[in-house]
Amino acid sequence: MFGRQLKRKPVYKKGDKYTYDMRNYRPMSITHLFGELLKKLMYNRIISFLYDNMIFSETQNDFKKGKSIDTAFQSFIERIQEALEKRVHTIGVFLGLTKAYDVLNHKLLLEKLFYYRIRGSTNLCFRS
């Protein structure tokens, strides 16, 4: 079971499905139950570690209990309203991160994990 090769198939992301432009697809491993369980275990342990060590910022909305895109948007609107009330010049910069994972700098990500004290076998697991 563990020695068996995992099958890979392209998974559609966005764009025209029928042009067969490879940039519109991403490779997807068809993992077995063990891989999914390991992924969930790692996620839970890291999130617990980040909470226990108070690594999350107060302004962090993703991955926090009771926070979401809605709370991020609400906070954004409140800051704009405060700036308008104080007659402060306000500028917004909005970035489209549609294909952010396609350009993720893995070396930088591993350095960040190390910086936040996610080291040893856990960091090696991500490195592999």
Side-chain angles (χ1 to χ4, degrees):
M1 177 173 154
F2 294 109
R4 184 173 53 186
Q5 288 274 338
L6 297 176
K7 295 179 182 177
R8 292 173 82 65
K9 67 177 184 176
V11 175
Y12 171 73
K13 286 192 300 189
K14 72 181 249 184
D16 187 359
K17 282 186 177 183
Y18 304 105
T19 61
Y20 300 108
D21 183 351
M22 291 309 294
R23 291 174 294 193
N24 293 337
Y25 293 83
R26 65 180 169 86
M28 178 76 173
S29 293
I30 302 172
T31 59
H32 46 76
L33 181 61
F34 178 75
E36 292 299 315
L37 289 172
L38 182 61
K39 181 172 68 173
K40 188 71 172 172
L41 174 71
M42 291 291 286
Y43 173 83
N44 289 337
R45 289 187 61 127
I46 288 175
I47 292 297
S48 293
F49 176 83
L50 295 174
Y51 272 112
D52 293 346
N53 292 282
M54 295 181 277
I55 293 174
F56 281 127
S57 162
E58 283 299 314
T59 58
Q60 173 93 21
N61 280 280
D62 206 5
F63 302 111
K64 286 184 81 175
K65 297 171 190 162
K67 299 279 188 158
S68 66
I69 187 69
D70 296 327
T71 57
F73 186 68
Q74 180 181 357
S75 175
F76 172 72
I77 295 298
E78 288 171 0
R79 285 184 167 203
I80 296 295
Q81 288 173 334
E82 288 173 14
L84 289 172
E85 288 170 5
K86 294 177 181 177
R87 297 181 170 271
V88 174
H89 292 283
T90 307
I91 297 174
V93 177
F94 302 91
L95 303 172
L97 301 175
T98 305
K99 294 186 179 185
Y101 289 106
D102 293 347
V103 294
L104 178 69
N105 183 332
H106 290 90
K107 182 179 178 189
L108 180 61
L109 176 63
L110 292 168
E111 289 172 5
K112 286 280 189 178
L113 289 171
F114 189 84
Y115 174 81
Y116 287 112
R117 299 185 317 271
I118 297 173
R119 300 177 180 152
S121 59
T122 305
N123 194 287
L124 287 173
C125 185
F126 282 109
R127 191 173 301 276
S128 71

